[in-house]
């Protein structure tokens, strides 16, 4: 049986090779992680959904930067966390 790390790398490589429909598998596997992080950060269901969509767009655009040295979920967690922080900073600036 393939390790999860190898499986993730294979899916990423497939997407990068042009099998764009495989990205849906990444979204399916990671959507709960991304949403729960953003919901904890924003305490807003609708906002967390919107930010999650933005995160997956970022993930797709930056996929070629994934080196496979960590789990895909760790890499996506990092993108999600920093995207959420950026959003919160923007909100704080708007409120001042």
């Amino acid at each position: 049986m393939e390790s999860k790390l190898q499986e993730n790398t294979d899916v990423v490589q497939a997407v990068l090779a042009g099998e764009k429909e495989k990205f849906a598998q990444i979204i399916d596997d990671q959507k709960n992680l991304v949403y729960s992080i953003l919901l904890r950060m924003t305490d807003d269901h609708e906002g967390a959904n919107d930010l999650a969509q933005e995160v997956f767009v970022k993930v797709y655009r930056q996929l070629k930067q994934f080196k496979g040295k960590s789990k895909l979920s760790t890499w996506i967690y990092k993108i999600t966390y920093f995207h959420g922080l950026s959003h919160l900073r923007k909100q704080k600036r708007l409120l001042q």
Side-chain angles (χ1 to χ4, degrees), residues 10-71:
D10 291 347
V11 172
V12 169
Q13 291 305 318
V15 172
L16 292 175
E19 296 179 55
K20 295 181 183 352
E21 67 280 355
K22 294 266 187 178
F23 191 71
Q25 183 180 341
I26 294 172
I27 293 171
D28 249 14
D29 291 346
Q30 306 300 324
K31 65 184 175 189
N32 291 334
L33 171 72
V34 170
Y35 176 75
S36 64
I37 293 165
L38 294 168
L39 182 60
R40 277 184 267 140
M41 293 178 88
T42 62
D43 198 31
D44 174 20
H45 293 285
E46 197 171 305
N49 275 325
D50 291 345
L51 289 170
Q53 288 180 5
E54 294 171 11
V55 164
F56 283 114
V57 168
K58 270 188 171 184
V59 167
Y60 184 79
R61 288 183 178 157
Q62 297 177 7
L63 205 53
K64 62 183 164 279
Q65 296 174 13
F66 177 68
K67 303 296 182 209
K69 294 181 181 176
S70 64
K71 291 194 297 188

Side-chain angles (χ1 to χ4, degrees), residues 78-95:
K78 187 176 174 182
I79 291 171
T80 303
Y81 178 75
F82 286 113
H83 189 71
L85 270 181
S86 176
H87 170 76
L88 293 175
R89 286 185 187 124
K90 287 176 190 170
Q91 290 299 104
K92 188 176 178 182
R93 271 187 258 141
L94 290 175
L95 294 174

